[in-house]
Amino acid sequence: MLSNTTLGVLMATINASIVMISLPAIFSGIHLNPLQPGNVSYLLWMIMGYMLVTAVLVTGFGRLGDMLGRVRIYNAGFVVFSIGAVALALDPWTGGQGAMWLIGWRLVQAVGGSMLFANSTAIITDTFPTDRRGMALGINQVAGMAGSFLGLILGGLLAVVHWRAVFFVSVPIGIAGTIWSYLSLHESGTRNPGRFDVWGNVTFAVGLTAVLAGITYGIQPYGDSSTGWTNPAVLAAIIGGALVLVVFGIIELHSAAPMFNLSLFRIRAFTMANIASLLTAIGRGGLQFMLIIWLQGIWLPLHGYSYEQTPLRAGIYMVPITIGFLVAGPLSGILSDRFGARLFATLGLSIVAATFVGLMLLPVDFPYWVFALLTGLSGIGSGMFSSPNRSAIMNSVPARERGSASGMAGTVQNAGNSLSIGVFFSLMIIGLSTSLPHALSSGLSSNGGARLGGRPHRPDPSGELPLRGLPGLQPDRHPAGPQRRPQPGRRQRPGPHRQGVLPAPHGSALPSGPHRGLHRRRHHVGGRRPRLPRPGQPLRA
């Protein structure tokens, strides 16, 4: 049972991160530039869609597990997940149609992942006695965290081979897991039969989907703002979704067989452990994205790696956080069985908080050993928290409510992760929109280019980095701001297309041409000007 549930969680979490790091290869394979205006939604839904659906459905499938049998729903999750993996690898289209195919089947995979997530913890709790439950849950939690980082390494390897291999790798694992689960798992838990709470499921799905979708679109620019948090549609989705969730709570309080048993929150240990899980997910959920961007976009190019090499290298350089979690997760689970969960969970989160301070103090071009030490400690702290905390949640509820409790804990964690990504990306975008124009203007001025005309920068409404309007970066358009007239008798310095005008590592330069995206321009020799990207050219890694 433990090997099977561990395989299921490992497969589901690998699938979430393997796609994230392989997005350049996937979009290049379907001939779509996701940074062009109108295409950014494809990128966001490829990243966020899986997490959104999982957060919405995991509680409902936990309740179905209580009613129909947790093993039955878990086995069905393997089947659905495997079907989605096959369909993703066989995408017959390119462009927007190809992207919609991938997004749609990713959502199908998320349905299967929700079935696995919702019932794996409950199956473990049903099977293991109290004095060994922390160890078993620790191994299961370690599989979930390890899968999210192993996916980075697998994605870096397979994206080089072919973009379809990123999806094909889940097919044999899914088939083997399906056969193994049907042969090995048997129902051993207490069922809680009753009616399916239709209105509760509908209002919960509508409300949470609206809130998380609003957070997703809040990352996109709106009008003159670099983010979309002032967009009326985003505000309507978040506020309207919150109101629907209030209605959902009222329905659940008066339902004879509620999907989301709010009476469980009267149990102090259950409530406080879920609050801690939510805050932890908000605090660290977007960390993986930020570390990948830091490594792939800044640190690795500074150290001479080409952009084609950065996905795999980024996955390898993030191994310390996985090792820390692998060591601390099972060990803290075993110790929490003997000494209680509170000490280890509190100490683990204190370590995670300290590592955030350390990462904040790191320079941009950091010594790797310091980065490895900090991320390894972050993994240790996360492992010390996750296993005891989930064990405290499952030990605090009655046996017949374990499926619902597991689903509720999964919903809290996934919703926190989605909110965290929205917060992290918004902070990054705001930082870029305020600091990047000034840095570019200073670089242009110090190297003989024109300033930005003294006018305040207005963010690019196209959804790309705020590079529009910078003189010399778009030779096919007229630069913004006043132009410098040639002075008689004075030789003019070359414009910003010459080598070294903008400080960039190893000859990489800022993008130009109609895309205005993060394309890599090769180092040019002998004063030859690099060829500009053509309109419609697909995104390169």
Side-chain angles (χ1 to χ4, degrees):
M1 183 280 306
L2 184 59
S3 66
N4 193 286
T5 54
T6 300
L7 177 64
V9 171
L10 184 69
M11 180 182 69
T13 51
I14 284 177
N15 181 75
S17 60
I18 197 173
V19 171
M20 179 182 67
I21 203 167
S22 307
L23 285 175
I26 293 171
F27 280 112
S28 179
I30 62 174
H31 308 299
L32 179 73
N33 181 0
L35 297 181
Q36 285 184 333
N39 291 344
V40 179
S41 294
Y42 296 133
L43 177 64
L44 289 178
W45 278 101
M46 282 291 290
I47 295 174
M48 302 284 287
Y50 188 91
M51 288 184 290
L52 189 152
V53 172
T54 303
V56 170
L57 296 182
V58 69
T59 301
F61 284 125
R63 172 61 184 144
L64 281 177
D66 287 340
M67 294 171 56
L68 306 176
R70 290 151 196 161
V71 170
R72 179 181 298 180
I73 301 300
Y74 181 88
N75 291 344
F78 259 120
V79 175
V80 174
F81 193 95
S82 302
I83 292 172
V86 173
L88 283 165
L90 300 177
D91 187 351
W93 288 301
T94 59
Q97 285 182 309
M100 290 301 299
W101 174 280
L102 294 178
I103 291 169
W105 283 104
R106 282 277 289 170
L107 300 184
V108 172
Q109 269 197 323
V111 175
S114 301
M115 296 178 175
L116 297 173
F117 277 124
N119 292 281
S120 62
T121 305
I123 292 172
I124 291 174
T125 308
D126 289 338
T127 306
F128 281 82
T130 305
D131 60 339
R132 299 181 62 195
R133 195 171 290 161
M135 177 272 297
L137 290 171
I139 293 174
N140 193 257
Q141 293 291 299
V142 163
M145 178 62 75
S148 64
F149 288 97
L150 289 174
L152 301 178
I153 300 176
L154 279 175
L157 287 169
L158 297 175
V160 177
V161 178
H162 198 278
W163 69 271
R164 295 184 189 272
V166 173
F167 301 112
F168 265 126
V169 71
S170 299
V171 176
I173 301 175
I175 294 174
T178 301
I179 297 172
W180 179 234
S181 64
Y182 273 97
L183 291 177
S184 64
L185 295 184
H186 305 283
E187 296 286 356
S188 60
T190 304
R191 292 195 185 183
N192 183 14
R195 293 183 307 166
F196 187 71
D197 184 10
V198 176
W199 285 110
N201 277 272
V202 169
T203 51
F204 180 76
V206 170
L208 190 59
T209 299
V211 171
L212 296 181
I215 292 172
T216 301
Y217 283 100
I219 302 173
Q220 293 194 52
Y222 173 73
D224 292 338
S225 176
S226 57
T227 59
W229 298 110
T230 57
N231 186 342
V234 170
L235 294 175
I238 294 176
I239 296 172
L243 293 176
V244 174
L245 289 177
V246 171
V247 174
F248 159 76
I250 297 172
I251 292 174
E252 295 302 278
L253 288 174
H254 296 85
S255 175
M259 176 197 77
F260 209 102
N261 191 351
L262 297 179
S263 65
L264 293 179
F265 286 104
R266 296 173 182 169
I267 304 172
R268 188 172 186 273
F270 179 83
T271 302
M272 301 310 292
N274 272 292
I275 292 174
S277 179
L278 175 66
L279 295 175
T280 304
I282 294 173
R284 74 171 189 225
L287 176 64
Q288 181 174 291
F289 286 89
M290 294 300 104
L291 293 180
I292 289 173
I293 291 171
W294 195 350
L295 288 172
Q296 286 192 244
I298 302 172
W299 193 84
L300 287 168
L302 280 173
H303 289 257
Y305 292 98
S306 67
Y307 286 100
E308 288 82 0
Q309 296 175 304
T310 56
L312 175 59
R313 292 287 178 174
I316 294 173
Y317 287 164
M318 289 180 65
V319 164
I321 196 170
T322 306
I323 294 175
F325 203 96
L326 289 173
V327 171
L331 184 60
S332 64
I334 294 171
L335 294 175
S336 68
D337 288 336
R338 296 185 58 186
F339 303 107
R342 182 178 301 176
L343 172 64
F344 298 97
T346 305
L347 181 60
L349 284 190
S350 301
I351 293 173
V352 172
T355 60
F356 268 105
V357 175
L359 289 170
M360 186 174 65
L361 297 176
L362 274 184
V364 173
D365 188 9
F366 50 78
Y368 177 70
W369 70 268
V370 180
F371 179 85
L373 177 63
L374 289 173
T375 54
L377 287 173
S378 179
I380 291 173
S382 298
M384 290 179 65
F385 167 79
S386 297
S387 303
N389 188 72
R390 184 56 65 95
S391 179
I393 290 174
M394 299 307 296
N395 288 335
S396 65
V397 300
R400 63 191 184 92
E401 298 286 354
R402 284 172 180 164
S404 296
S406 176
M408 293 162 72
T411 296
V412 167
Q413 185 171 351
N414 289 324
N417 287 332
S418 299
L419 178 59
S420 176
I421 292 171
V423 171
F424 273 62
F425 268 92
S426 295
L427 291 173
M428 184 186 70
I429 292 168
I430 292 170
L432 283 174
S433 65
T434 55
S435 62
L436 185 59
H438 174 72
L440 290 173
S441 177
S442 300
L444 287 168
S445 176
S446 63
N447 288 275
R451 280 195 169 274
L452 295 179
R455 296 187 296 181
H457 170 70
R458 300 178 73 83
D460 186 353
S462 67
E464 302 172 18
L465 284 178
L467 298 179
R468 179 180 291 179
L470 296 181
L473 294 181
Q474 301 179 71
D476 57 326
R477 298 171 181 254
H478 295 291
Q483 305 300 305
R484 292 186 175 181
R485 296 174 179 265
Q487 299 180 11
R490 182 177 178 181
R491 183 180 178 183
Q492 297 301 305
R493 299 179 66 182
H497 285 290
R498 68 178 178 84
Q499 175 188 348
V501 64
L502 292 175
H506 300 284
S508 64
L510 287 170
S512 65
H515 287 312
R516 303 177 297 280
L518 290 177
H519 298 272
R520 179 171 61 93
R521 188 186 303 169
R522 297 186 180 276
H523 184 85
H524 55 283
V525 183
R528 295 181 59 188
R529 183 172 174 175
R531 187 178 62 172
L532 300 176
R534 301 186 303 274
Q537 181 180 352
L539 177 68
R540 299 180 61 183

